[in-house]
Amino acid sequence: FVMFLGDNVIEGGISKLIRDFADNEWNSQIVLKEVENPSAYGVAKLRTDGSIEQLIEKPKDPPSNLALVGIYMFDENIFEAVNSIQPSGRGEYEITDAIQWLIDHDYTVFPHVHKGWWIDTGKPNDMLEANSHVLEEITPMIADSAEIDAESEIDKRVTIQDGAKIINSVVRGPTVIGKNTIIENSYIGPLTSVYHNCEIRNCEIERSIILENSRVIDIDQTLRDSLIGRNATVKRSDRKPSGIKMNLGDYGTLWV
């Protein structure tokens, strides 16, 4: 099985890694990435045969520049390892300690050294950067059931999913518009992901993520580099005093 820490995004996904693990008799495979500052990460020391000899958490004198990404493949022996370790100095059961237990008990642990980009999405801008990379990899398509009126302009790098409606709007890619989302009288700029069942009217949006069931209405400034959570509403109030009115859900970040 795969253990994939959810704040990691890597280029190309993990299908090849799964095939590699399935085609070998390894007990575990862990993803590593060459980094410039290995002392800030858990790092791996390799044997001459390429297997992993030791995992070291944030070493002052790193034995390699190969950092643990947070993506692991295991067979059933990991359960014995987890049940055999003790809490670390911070009072937690560490997955790296369990992997080291496998190594110390002569189980085979091999690395996959990832050559593409890797982003740890711990901060809002990291999420936007990961979104930008993923959008660049997507093969654009427009669903047959999507509706685009004659006044709209859609470039060739845009994905529009089932039931979405684009009305009197400009959409520049790479961008994804989710199912049943309505874009009306708006500009959606590059590197933007708008998820399912959203409503965007009378707005300009660039390099942002808008999650499902959210509404962005009547904003007279460009919304950029922003995260809008699920079921959120961002709109301008016509009542005095005028201003931006919002219900910003989940992990939203908004600069107006």
Side-chain angles (χ1 to χ4, degrees), residues 189-216:
L191 306 176
T192 299
S193 292
V194 183
Y195 204 40
H196 304 331
N197 301 303
C198 291
E199 183 181 351
I200 312 294
R201 299 184 192 273
N202 306 314
C203 297
E204 296 184 2
I205 301 174
E206 292 182 338
R207 193 178 182 265
S208 295
I209 300 172
I210 299 174
L211 296 185
E212 64 266 33
N213 306 313
S214 292
R215 303 168 68 239
V216 184

Side-chain angles (χ1 to χ4, degrees), residues 44-249:
K45 180 181 179 181
L46 304 186
R47 300 188 180 99
T48 55
D49 66 353
S51 64
I52 295 175
E53 178 180 350
Q54 188 179 13
L55 302 178
I56 309 168
E57 186 64 30
K58 297 181 180 178
K60 293 182 179 179
D61 185 19
S64 76
N65 66 342
L66 297 172
L68 280 73
V69 168
I71 302 172
Y72 316 95
M73 271 131 276
F74 296 117
D75 68 8
E76 69 279 2
N77 292 291
I78 190 63
F79 295 108
E80 181 183 4
V82 168
N83 289 325
S84 299
I85 61 174
Q86 298 299 314
S88 67
R90 59 180 183 173
E92 297 184 2
Y93 290 92
E94 310 282 357
I95 191 62
T96 50
D97 289 346
I99 297 169
Q100 189 64 52
W101 188 95
L102 292 175
I103 295 167
D104 294 341
H105 289 78
D106 298 323
Y107 291 100
T108 305
V109 181
F110 264 80
H112 170 88
V113 180
H114 181 62
K115 299 299 184 183
W117 54 261
W118 162 45
I119 298 177
D120 183 352
T121 58
K123 298 178 181 179
N125 195 60
D126 297 329
M127 295 183 187
L128 292 170
E129 189 67 19
N131 182 62
S132 299
H133 282 296
V134 171
L135 287 173
E136 294 282 4
E137 291 186 3
I138 291 175
T139 301
M141 58 80 66
I142 296 178
D144 293 339
S145 62
E147 299 180 21
I148 303 169
D149 72 3
E151 287 71 38
S152 295
E153 181 181 337
I154 311 297
D155 83 14
K156 63 181 181 181
R157 298 174 300 163
V158 172
T159 293
I160 302 177
Q161 298 183 344
D162 290 328
K165 296 181 180 180
I166 313 297
I167 304 165
N168 191 35
S169 296
V170 176
V171 184
R172 307 281 189 209
T175 287
V176 169
I177 307 300
K179 296 178 180 178
N180 302 314
T181 282
I182 298 173
I183 310 292
E184 185 173 5
N185 300 324
S186 295
Y187 166 73
I188 307 298
L191 306 176
T192 299
S193 292
V194 183
Y195 204 40
H196 304 331
N197 301 303
C198 291
E199 183 181 351
I200 312 294
R201 299 184 192 273
N202 306 314
C203 297
E204 296 184 2
I205 301 174
E206 292 182 338
R207 193 178 182 265
S208 295
I209 300 172
I210 299 174
L211 296 185
E212 64 266 33
N213 306 313
S214 292
R215 303 168 68 239
V216 184
I217 309 292
D218 299 331
I219 305 299
D220 60 3
Q221 303 173 60
T222 301
L223 186 71
R224 60 168 60 90
D225 299 335
S226 298
L227 304 178
I228 308 299
R230 300 167 180 85
N231 304 294
T233 299
V234 180
K235 63 181 180 180
R236 180 167 295 281
S237 174
D238 293 328
R239 299 167 61 184
K240 301 295 185 181
S242 63
I244 301 296
K245 182 177 181 180
M246 70 182 74
N247 297 305
L248 191 62

Side-chain angles (χ1 to χ4, degrees), residues 28-45:
S28 175
Q29 182 184 34
I30 66 176
V31 179
L32 305 176
K33 173 69 178 173
E34 293 182 351
V35 296
E36 294 182 357
N37 55 334
S39 59
Y41 299 88
V43 300
K45 180 181 179 181

